[in-house]
Amino acid sequence: MGVPETEPLDVGRIRADFPILDREFGGSQLVYLDNAATTHTPEPVVETITDYYRGYNANVHRGIHHLSQEASIAYEEAHDRVAEFIGAVGREEIVFTKNTTEGVNLVAYAWGLNELGPGDEVVMTEMEHHASLVTWQQIAKKTGAEVKYIPIDEQGTLDMDAAAELITDDTAMVSVIHASNTLGTVNPVSEIADLAHDHDAYVFVDAAQSVPNRPVDVQELGADFLAFSGHKMCGPTGIGVLYGRESVLEEMEPYLYGGDMILKVTYEDATWNELPWKFEAGTPNICEGIALAAACDYLDEIGMERIQKHEERLAQYAYDELTAMDDVEVYGPPGDQRGGLVAFNLESVHAHDLSSIVNDYAVAIRAGDHCTQPLHDKLGVAASARASFYIYNTREEVDKLVAAVDEARQLFA
Ligand code: C6P
């Protein structure tokens, strides 16, 4: 769209690419504020999907016929596009997975099971999503390694003094969430990566809530691994990305065995294909991978810095409006220090009831533990309601949320 990074987004124009936002429920137009769970898919990405199935659907790396060649080239180039999007060296560092969860499991199984043992430590944060938390916890149990957590303070910000003490020569892996899907906190990943690398530990970054919402450069962050999901960034479901530093991926054993990940197979043994195919066994999600590249194009055309600013403005506004209510508790750092989401509770109304009432006004938010049960335990609540913003949301939609929360209060008064 060729406008300066500081210009607000042309939300009206963006919304025209998302016909789903025109849906109405009970006479009210949908207000979709559940973008941290999944985002919608713009027309150019939908067109990429239909073009694929109408024009060049074929398996990749398995045929020399025209369709297979076209599909293979598009699928491989999608890796290049994603590499460019996050500042990776090239396609060899981009493994297509199903989602963020598969990305962390790949590293945990292919690297963790082989490399961790008694005396080793995996350091995480108290705000990790279950995708990382449960995975490293279970791999630690299998290997005898120990898990430690960097604590958060009252504002939901990491205690970096504690981080400096917890990360030691015993640390083998530091797995850190870039932007919290519950608190909205954006963590100082490069600072944490420096601490980890000072002790020769690897750094895994859960970027599920950052790659879709702000510029992310794996080199600047100092990530050895970084994972995210296509469905949270205008792409389809069923496609995710694991970035791995080339030298580290080279050393790692494969995660899944089978077709396409091999170089030479005999009845006795096998050798592995080059990166990244060594980690992409079997027929991959071809169309979804190609569509993810189209999603990168779509977001880059809008501008990731402008997207970040737009979301931050909405989150700040929602934070201000919600904290102005005496009986609402908002979790996480102040409005000017958070990513594009706000988790909260209305006194004496369960988050599920709250989300059900606002749904009566066609306002879609999420309620629950957001796959961060230990964090909710720490906050002293079983669940919270959460509004999360994206490129197509407006201040008027925040007003509708706030009005619906008011209605819920009156209903339960
Ligand atoms: N969070 C949410 O509503 P998958 O499901 O693999 O695409 O993403 C997992 C995941 C990992 N890390 C973070 C920080 C996440 O937010 C998520 C997904 C969704 O918050 C579903 S629980």
Side-chain angles (χ1 to χ4, degrees), residues 129-159:
H129 186 279
H130 295 168
S132 302
L133 196 150
V134 177
T135 305
W136 289 118
Q137 204 176 55
Q138 294 308 312
I139 292 293
K141 281 192 206 296
K142 285 183 201 292
T143 56
E146 199 183 333
V147 168
K148 295 194 164 166
Y149 299 94
I150 304 169
I152 55 170
D153 64 18
E154 290 285 299
Q155 289 203 332
T157 307
L158 284 184
D159 179 343

Side-chain angles (χ1 to χ4, degrees), residues 85-311:
F85 192 69
I86 59 166
V89 169
R91 67 173 67 162
E92 56 279 10
E93 297 192 322
I94 302 295
V95 178
F96 279 178
T97 59
K98 191 171 63 178
N99 49 33
T100 306
T101 306
E102 189 180 301
V104 64
N105 273 272
L106 193 161
V107 177
Y109 277 86
W111 175 85
L113 268 191
N114 290 310
E115 300 296 331
L116 293 174
D120 289 328
E121 293 176 357
V122 175
V123 175
M124 289 191 266
T125 75
E126 286 184 333
M127 63 178 94
E128 291 312 307
H129 186 279
H130 295 168
S132 302
L133 196 150
V134 177
T135 305
W136 289 118
Q137 204 176 55
Q138 294 308 312
I139 292 293
K141 281 192 206 296
K142 285 183 201 292
T143 56
E146 199 183 333
V147 168
K148 295 194 164 166
Y149 299 94
I150 304 169
I152 55 170
D153 64 18
E154 290 285 299
Q155 289 203 332
T157 307
L158 284 184
D159 179 343
M160 288 303 290
D161 291 335
E165 278 175 27
L166 281 168
I167 298 170
T168 68
D169 286 345
D170 291 332
T171 310
M173 171 64 76
V174 178
S175 181
V176 59
I177 189 166
H178 191 182
S180 163
N181 67 325
T182 301
L183 300 168
T185 314
V186 181
N187 289 316
V189 170
S190 57
E191 220 178 298
I192 294 169
D194 286 347
L195 287 175
H197 292 150
D198 283 349
H199 295 281
D200 293 329
Y202 283 140
V203 177
F204 178 95
V205 182
D206 173 349
Q209 301 293 350
S210 60
V211 166
N213 311 307
R214 56 185 54 239
V216 167
D217 183 304
V218 290
Q219 318 287 344
E220 278 173 24
L221 288 181
D224 299 298
F225 301 101
L226 179 141
F228 56 98
S229 301
H231 69 93
K232 294 184 197 291
M233 51 182 287
C234 291
T237 51
I239 191 77
V241 175
L242 172 71
Y243 158 81
R245 200 184 290 284
E246 186 181 1
S247 54
V248 187
L249 288 181
E250 283 290 3
E251 283 168 18
M252 263 165 58
E253 283 296 303
Y255 171 48
L256 296 174
Y257 298 103
D260 208 29
M261 52 76 63
I262 51 80
L263 189 63
K264 174 80 185 137
V265 184
T266 64
Y267 282 121
E268 288 74 36
D269 209 352
T271 56
W272 314 137
N273 202 346
E274 62 188 20
L275 293 173
W277 322 121
K278 170 178 145 185
F279 291 104
E280 293 191 12
T283 302
N285 287 343
I286 304 163
C287 175
E288 289 78 2
I290 296 168
L292 176 61
C296 293
D297 288 345
Y298 186 81
L299 294 177
D300 265 346
E301 202 185 321
I302 297 171
M304 291 309 296
E305 276 166 32
R306 294 171 67 227
I307 291 172
Q308 178 184 347
K309 284 209 175 65
H310 176 74
E311 284 184 37

Side-chain angles (χ1 to χ4, degrees), residues 42-108:
E43 287 298 279
V45 175
V46 174
E47 273 163 29
T48 302
I49 294 167
T50 53
D51 286 352
Y52 170 82
Y53 281 113
R54 288 189 174 140
Y56 58 102
N57 173 38
N59 211 328
V60 291
H61 300 156
R62 285 158 173 84
I64 50 166
H65 57 78
H66 290 302
L67 289 184
S68 179
Q69 281 184 27
E70 276 183 35
S72 297
I73 289 169
Y75 182 70
E76 289 178 6
E77 286 180 349
H79 290 68
D80 300 335
R81 181 65 187 92
V82 171
E84 188 195 353
F85 192 69
I86 59 166
V89 169
R91 67 173 67 162
E92 56 279 10
E93 297 192 322
I94 302 295
V95 178
F96 279 178
T97 59
K98 191 171 63 178
N99 49 33
T100 306
T101 306
E102 189 180 301
V104 64
N105 273 272
L106 193 161
V107 177

Side-chain angles (χ1 to χ4, degrees), residues 16-64:
D17 287 332
F18 295 85
I20 198 169
L21 298 174
D22 295 333
R23 288 205 60 189
E24 292 189 0
F25 298 92
S28 303
Q29 187 172 358
L30 169 67
V31 174
Y32 186 79
L33 302 179
D34 195 18
N35 294 289
T38 203
T39 55
H40 292 305
T41 319
E43 287 298 279
V45 175
V46 174
E47 273 163 29
T48 302
I49 294 167
T50 53
D51 286 352
Y52 170 82
Y53 281 113
R54 288 189 174 140
Y56 58 102
N57 173 38
N59 211 328
V60 291
H61 300 156
R62 285 158 173 84
I64 50 166

